[in-house]
Amino acid sequence: MKRYAIIVAGGKGLRMGAELPKQFIPIEGRPVLMRTLDAFHACDASIQIILVLPHSHQSYWRELCQKYAFTVPHRIADGGDTRFHSVQNGLALTSNTEALIAVHDGVRPFVTKEVIEQCYREATIHAAVVPVTPVVETIRHLLNSGSKTVDRESYRLVQTPQTFQASLLHRAYQQPYQNTFTDDASVVEALGESIYLTEGNRENIKLTTPFDLIVANALIQQ
């Protein structure tokens, strides 16, 4: 079955406090976004990668590809006003039948081959698959009167790639946008569909703050 990967990289990196958008920041001499595309290509070179970038970032990305001699095959779609609209634009370059589509954050370069393969494999059975990891910290629920501890075993941290049968994801993204759509799973759930959870890898962090870059460099050096 044909496999697509929509890599969404529309962030401005405001929380990173850097001049460069976070997806272009180099870690150990290679831009974050290239490391992310590398992960999918290394897992399966037949995956059709679609990179969603703001139009204003695309010429700079092409310059980086030349500078780093980056040759992983991919197509580019324009970023939208929200993540929802960015994914819609990426979906326009995919087939809506007999295919699997993974949607992944461009600033999660440490997803493993095993997790990528597992998400595709399980999506052939469950239609909508999301990788998650356990919560290891104590959680408190904020209330008007204060807060209380909740059972962390009842919660999971959500990662990407969130992977779907193509016909389902296309149908989900035909819905009108809602501000409750925080990820692809929430869009699919709005159709009344269930989500299958699979095990992610803890290193698959989303690089958002300067501290995350410290962790990223440590992971690569390891």
Side-chain angles (χ1 to χ4, degrees):
M1 190 178 292
K2 184 181 291 186
R3 294 176 169 186
Y4 294 98
I6 298 176
I7 311 294
V8 184
K12 297 179 180 178
L14 299 179
R15 282 177 287 180
M16 193 66 79
E19 292 183 5
L20 273 180
K22 56 190 176 182
Q23 60 266 26
F24 300 138
I25 293 175
I27 47 176
E28 287 294 305
R30 193 168 179 79
V32 167
L33 191 51
M34 288 183 184
R35 292 187 178 277
T36 303
L37 269 66
D38 283 339
F40 281 82
H41 188 66
C43 174
D44 179 354
S46 72
I47 293 173
Q48 297 190 31
I49 298 175
I50 297 164
L51 175 59
V52 184
L53 277 176
H55 189 77
S56 59
H57 292 175
Q58 291 175 18
S59 61
Y60 181 64
W61 169 248
R62 293 187 177 95
E63 290 174 15
L64 286 178
C65 288
Q66 287 190 327
K67 177 180 178 180
Y68 289 89
F70 184 70
T71 59
V72 170
H74 63 280
R75 289 181 288 168
I76 298 177
D78 287 344
D81 292 337
T82 67
R83 188 182 189 281
F84 176 90
H85 297 99
S86 291
V87 174
Q88 272 188 331
N89 292 348
L91 277 173
L93 300 182
T94 70
S95 168
N96 66 356
T97 58
E98 294 301 315
L100 300 173
I101 303 175
V103 185
H104 189 66
D105 297 324
V107 289
R108 289 187 188 266
F110 297 113
V111 61
T112 64
K113 296 178 185 179
E114 292 78 12
V115 168
I116 295 171
E117 182 61 40
Q118 182 174 286
C119 287
Y120 279 120
R121 184 175 62 250
E122 293 182 348
T124 64
I125 303 168
H126 300 288
V129 175
V130 171
V132 297
T133 57
V135 177
V136 297
E137 307 281 358
T138 297
I139 300 176
R140 294 194 68 83
H141 180 203
L142 300 182
L143 305 167
N144 290 336
S145 58
S147 65
K148 69 175 183 178
T149 300
V150 296
D151 179 12
R152 66 186 175 196
E153 293 302 319
S154 299
Y155 296 87
R156 292 294 182 269
L157 300 177
V158 173
Q159 299 182 335
T160 64
Q162 299 185 6
T163 308
F164 308 88
Q165 293 178 10
S167 57
L168 171 59
L169 194 62
H170 275 267
R171 185 159 54 92
Y173 272 90
Q174 289 171 7
Q175 300 175 98
Y177 171 71
Q178 302 177 38
N179 58 17
T180 54
F181 291 161
T182 56
D183 64 357
D184 309 287
S186 61
V187 180
V188 169
E189 278 183 318
L191 290 178
E193 299 287 339
S194 59
I195 306 297
Y196 180 81
L197 303 184
T198 192
E199 186 176 355
N201 64 292
R202 194 171 179 191
E203 302 86 358
N204 185 19
I205 60 173
K206 187 176 183 180
L207 304 184
T208 306
T209 68
F211 176 76
D212 297 331
L213 289 181
I214 296 172
V215 174
N217 281 284
L219 287 171
I220 291 174
Q221 290 169 8
Q222 187 182 48

